[in-house]
Amino acid sequence: QVHLAESGGGSVHAGGSLKLSCVVSGLPFADYCLGWFRQVPGMERELGAIAGIDDDSITYADSVKGRFTISKDNGRNTLFLQMNDLTPADSAIYYCAANFAAECSLRPTDFEYWGQGTQVTVSA
């Protein structure tokens, strides 16, 4: 059974940092597209960052580029999202997701497996 479990969310002031983790089980971690998405209640889920199979197949949403870093530890089946210079606009529920594909999609609707999410709140 596939299971994704996020952790690391919390409340910070603007300019602060958080590091999210997502432990994945039940699928061959290194062979999957892995991503971080975020969602504000009442809004659509949006892309944060995607990490493909190769180290150089990483994509960031323009809104987080230069501030967020996605990485993964294949040995620990764990996906990370380092978030720096946070702003109130980054406040959302952050989800990790996995999908098996030759080329990673940027659309949340294309991802098959999801975690329960972790709340990030950034105050001004």
Side-chain angles (χ1 to χ4, degrees):
Q1 187 174 359
V2 177
H3 187 61
L4 287 74
E6 303 97 335
S7 62
S11 297
V12 296
H13 291 293
S17 298
L18 286 171
K19 186 172 185 177
L20 306 183
S21 300
C22 176
V23 178
V24 180
S25 60
L27 55 79
F29 182 85
D31 295 337
Y32 269 63
C33 295
L34 303 163
W36 288 100
F37 296 85
R38 63 187 187 183
Q39 187 171 24
V40 174
M43 305 286 287
E44 289 189 357
R45 197 166 292 189
E46 64 177 23
L47 170 70
I50 301 293
I53 299 170
D54 301 320
D55 290 340
D56 57 358
S57 56
I58 288 176
T59 303
Y60 294 98
D62 288 342
S63 58
V64 307
K65 205 173 289 184
R67 300 186 299 120
F68 290 13
T69 303
I70 188 171
S71 61
K72 55 182 182 174
D73 184 335
N74 289 339
R76 292 196 289 160
N77 284 11
T78 304
L79 181 71
F80 301 101
L81 186 68
Q82 177 67 48
M83 306 186 295
N84 298 328
D85 195 20
L86 286 160
T87 75
D90 295 315
S91 296
I93 300 173
Y94 283 70
Y95 298 89
C96 69
N99 191 48
F100 185 75
E103 263 191 60
C104 295
S105 170
L106 305 182
R107 294 189 300 266
T109 52
D110 289 335
F111 279 72
E112 183 175 4
Y113 302 106
W114 292 86
Q116 292 299 306
T118 185
Q119 176 72 51
V120 171
T121 303
V122 185
S123 57

Coordinates of all heavy atoms in Angstrom, one line a residue, residues 2 9 15 20 73 81 86 103 106 121:
V2 N 0.6 2.2 -0.9 CA 1.4 3.4 -1.0 C 1.0 4.4 0.1 O -0.2 4.6 0.4 CB 1.1 4.0 -2.4 CG1 1.9 5.3 -2.5 CG2 1.6 3.1 -3.5
G9 N 5.8 21.2 8.7 CA 5.1 22.5 8.6 C 5.0 23.2 9.9 O 5.5 22.7 11.0
G15 N 10.2 36.1 6.1 CA 11.6 36.0 6.1 C 12.2 34.7 6.7 O 13.4 34.5 6.5
L20 N 10.3 21.0 4.8 CA 9.3 20.0 4.8 C 9.9 18.6 4.4 O 10.9 18.6 3.6 CB 8.2 20.3 3.8 CG 7.5 21.7 4.0 CD1 6.4 21.8 3.0 CD2 7.0 21.9 5.4
D73 N 16.2 12.0 -0.9 CA 17.2 11.0 -0.5 C 16.6 9.6 -0.8 O 15.7 9.1 -0.2 CB 17.3 11.2 1.1 CG 18.4 10.2 1.6 OD1 18.7 9.2 1.0 OD2 18.9 10.5 2.7
L81 N 11.6 19.7 1.0 CA 11.4 21.0 0.4 C 11.9 22.0 1.4 O 11.3 22.3 2.5 CB 9.9 21.3 0.1 CG 9.7 22.6 -0.7 CD1 10.3 22.5 -2.1 CD2 8.2 23.0 -0.7
L86 N 10.4 33.1 3.4 CA 9.0 32.9 3.3 C 8.2 34.2 3.4 O 8.6 35.1 4.2 CB 8.5 31.9 4.4 CG 8.9 30.4 4.1 CD1 8.9 29.6 5.4 CD2 8.0 29.8 3.0
E103 N 8.0 11.3 -18.3 CA 8.3 12.7 -18.1 C 7.4 13.3 -17.1 O 6.1 13.0 -17.1 CB 8.0 13.5 -19.5 CG 9.3 13.7 -20.2 CD 9.1 14.7 -21.4 OE1 8.7 15.8 -21.1 OE2 9.3 14.2 -22.5
L106 N 3.5 18.8 -14.6 CA 3.5 19.8 -13.6 C 2.1 20.0 -13.1 O 1.8 20.9 -12.3 CB 4.0 21.1 -14.3 CG 5.4 21.1 -14.9 CD1 5.7 22.5 -15.4 CD2 6.4 20.6 -13.9
T121 N 2.1 28.4 7.8 CA 1.6 29.7 8.0 C 2.7 30.7 8.2 O 3.5 30.5 9.1 CB 0.6 29.7 9.2 OG1 -0.4 28.7 9.1 CG2 0.0 31.0 9.4

